[in-house]
Amino acid sequence: MSKPPARIRLADAAFALFDERGYEQTTVDDIAERAGVGRTTFFRHYRSKEDVIFPDHDRLLELIRDRLATSSHRTALVAVSDTVRLVLLHYIDEGDLARRRYALTSKVAALRDREIASVARYQRLFREFIADWMGDPTESASLKAELMAANVVAAHNHVLRRWLRGESADPVAEVDEAMREVLALFPPPGSPAEPGGGTTVVAFRTGQDLDALLPSLRRLIEGGPER
């Protein structure tokens, strides 16, 4: 049986050493030696021992940009949901590696800081895309784009953490439902649910018959004067 690729052997060696010795006590040389490769091979695949731990965020962000770029104004929010699912599936495909990373970053403050910085990159990309889709330069629209992007990232991370902790049997279905809830909070510009759009009907109890009320209700909805 052929050996796994060097990149995989390096990752396996790194996590095994982190478990045995601790993250801070493990060096690049230790990882390369355990994987059976030289330092040159290590740096051909990773820039540092931190890079062994984290997924290739640059590649993931590029995949997100490519998917968002294929959307139209009408399908923009579908594209956002698709990219959230894409990122989740990447972690699921990693399997045990993703869970070992989660356990490690939960214990090492420097790694948590890097993970937070990585999350900010995703949120910024979503914010820029949503702001462009909204096409509204006002400050209130800018705030809405920021809030929407933050909710998109939060929905993904909530489902991802549930899966990492073994609490989600179907994370893809969960993230799809989470995104539906997020998008329901932010109706598209100009939709009836937007402030100032559509019709609001307030219901109350009265002793009058419905047939007697209908003409008055119709005039109110159509904007006519009450007589």
Side-chain angles (χ1 to χ4, degrees), residues 75-186:
T75 63
L77 297 185
V78 173
V80 170
S81 293
D82 284 350
T83 58
V84 169
R85 191 184 309 111
L86 179 154
V87 176
L88 179 68
L89 287 171
H90 173 84
Y91 283 93
I92 292 173
D93 287 344
E94 287 186 323
D96 186 56
L97 175 61
R99 292 190 170 96
R100 293 169 77 182
R101 178 192 303 121
Y102 179 65
L104 185 61
T105 54
S106 297
K107 294 184 291 187
V108 182
L111 299 180
R112 284 200 303 274
D113 291 342
R114 173 161 172 171
E115 188 72 2
I116 291 169
S118 297
V119 169
R121 295 175 66 193
Y122 289 87
Q123 184 168 324
R124 181 167 60 249
L125 177 57
F126 283 124
R127 184 196 68 222
E128 291 170 353
F129 174 78
I130 292 167
D132 184 64
W133 166 71
M134 291 174 64
D136 185 345
T138 63
E139 180 60 30
S140 62
S142 176
L143 174 60
K144 182 176 179 180
E146 187 75 70
L147 291 171
M148 189 171 178
N151 277 267
V152 167
V153 171
H156 169 271
N157 289 346
H158 173 77
V159 175
L160 174 61
R161 291 189 188 108
R162 277 179 44 76
W163 175 76
L164 290 168
R165 294 191 297 261
E167 299 169 358
S168 173
D170 191 349
V172 175
E174 281 195 25
V175 85
D176 287 345
E177 176 59 29
M179 285 305 301
R180 282 191 288 271
E181 292 191 23
V182 168
L183 298 183
L185 296 173
F186 301 93

